[in-house]
Amino acid sequence: MALLIWQILATQGVLGKNFPGSVKTLEELVWWLSDPFFNNGPNDLGIGTNLLISLRRVLIGYGLAVVVAVPLGLVMGISRIADASLNPFVQLLKPVSPLAWLPIGLFIFRDSELTGVFVIFISSIWPTLINTAFGVSSINPDFLRVSRSLGASQLRTIHKVVLPAVMPNILAGMRISMGTAWLVIVAAEMLLGSGIGYFIWNEWNNLSLPNIFVAIIVIGFAGLLLDQVFGWLQKRFDYQL
C-alpha cells in the first residue's frame, strides 16, 4: 500500500517535478542488487561494497567503544569516587554532536578511515557506558554483601555477581550504541569518502534520486538486521523471563 501511494504521489507530481516513484526505485534496487560488489574505482563501487566499507568502520569503532565503555561503566557503578570523578566528563562530552569530532579526527589522524572509526568510537561509547554504570549501581546491595561474606574476591564478585546481574543493561546500552553508530557513519562518510554515506552524496551530485532511495532502503535493512541481533541477545540474557 505504501509503495502504491508513493507511486501515485510521484506520478501526480505532488512530491515535486521528476520525483522518482516506487516503480523506478525498485527497478534501480534490482539493478544494484544484481551485482552489488563490483569495484571500478573509488568513485564507482557497488552498493554492497560500499555497505561493507561502512560496516567495517562501524564494527571497529563500535567494538573499541564497547571494550572501553563496559569496564569503565563497571568501575563507575562500583566506586562512588570514580563516578564522581568521571561523570562530569561524561555529561560534558555526551551531548556533543558526533560530527563536531570529525575535523578533530581529520587533524589528528590525517586519514579518512581512522577518522571514521574515531567518530564512531566517540559517538557510540556513551550509551553503553551510562547503561553499564546505572545497572551496576542498581544491583541489590545484599547480593554484594553475601558474596563478600562468602570470601569472594572483588574480581570474582564482579565475574559471578555483577556481570550476570548487569548484562541486560549492558546489552541495552550496546543496542542503543549500535543504532547511534549506524546513524553517524552515514553522515560522516558524506565528508570522508567511500562507504554508503559517500554513495548517497555521490548520487546526489549526479542528481540520481532513485539511487538515493536505494541506499536508504539498504541502510534501513542493514540497521534492522543489526538491531534484531541485539534484540535476540537481550532476550537471551533477560533473566526476568
Side-chain angles (χ1 to χ4, degrees):
M1 179 60 71
L3 293 176
L4 179 60
I5 295 174
W6 176 7
Q7 181 63 32
I8 292 173
L9 292 175
T11 302
Q12 297 300 317
V14 176
L15 301 175
K17 185 179 180 181
N18 298 325
F19 192 89
S22 56
V23 173
K24 177 63 176 177
T25 300
L26 291 176
E27 288 176 352
E28 291 295 325
L29 178 62
V30 170
W31 185 88
W32 282 103
L33 294 181
S34 64
D35 184 17
F37 299 108
F38 67 81
N39 186 345
N40 297 327
N43 293 322
D44 190 11
L45 301 175
I47 196 163
T49 305
N50 280 298
L51 181 64
L52 290 178
I53 292 172
S54 298
L55 283 172
R56 182 185 69 230
R57 290 169 174 164
V58 165
L59 292 178
I60 294 174
Y62 171 81
L64 292 173
V66 170
V67 168
V68 173
V70 172
L72 201 57
L74 291 173
V75 172
M76 290 177 63
I78 292 172
S79 171
R80 292 184 179 179
I81 296 176
D83 182 64
S85 301
L86 296 174
N87 192 54
F89 293 98
V90 173
Q91 299 306 323
L92 176 68
L93 297 175
K94 179 171 65 73
V96 178
S97 170
L99 295 184
W101 295 101
L102 193 59
I104 305 298
L106 287 171
F107 181 82
I108 295 173
F109 299 110
R110 317 282 176 150
D111 181 86
S112 61
E113 186 73 17
L114 292 176
T115 300
V117 171
F118 167 73
V119 171
I120 292 301
F121 170 83
I122 204 71
S123 62
S124 60
I125 190 173
W126 311 120
T128 302
L129 173 61
I130 293 171
N131 269 41
T132 302
F134 173 78
V136 174
S137 63
S138 302
I139 295 175
N140 190 330
D142 291 337
F143 297 161
L144 302 178
R145 283 193 286 267
V146 169
S147 177
R148 294 193 194 100
S149 67
L150 293 175
S153 65
Q154 185 81 340
L155 287 177
R156 187 167 180 81
T157 299
I158 292 174
H159 177 63
K160 294 294 185 180
V161 179
V162 176
L163 276 177
V166 82
M167 187 58 71
N169 296 84
I170 294 175
L171 288 171
M174 290 173 62
R175 187 176 188 178
I176 298 171
S177 290
M178 176 54 75
T180 302
W182 195 235
L183 284 172
V184 170
I185 193 61
V186 174
E189 285 178 340
M190 290 184 180
L191 301 176
L192 294 176
S194 73
I196 198 70
Y198 181 72
F199 176 89
I200 292 177
W201 185 248
N202 197 40
E203 294 305 317
W204 166 250
N205 289 330
N206 294 330
L207 298 179
S208 181
L209 285 180
N211 288 340
I212 294 177
F213 280 111
V214 168
I216 290 172
I217 293 170
V218 171
I219 291 168
F221 273 103
L224 176 63
L225 289 176
L226 291 171
D227 186 72
Q228 290 297 311
V229 171
F230 283 99
W232 177 83
L233 288 173
Q234 279 188 282
K235 291 180 180 178
R236 172 68 177 79
F237 289 94
D238 189 353
Y239 304 116
Q240 295 180 355
L241 292 178

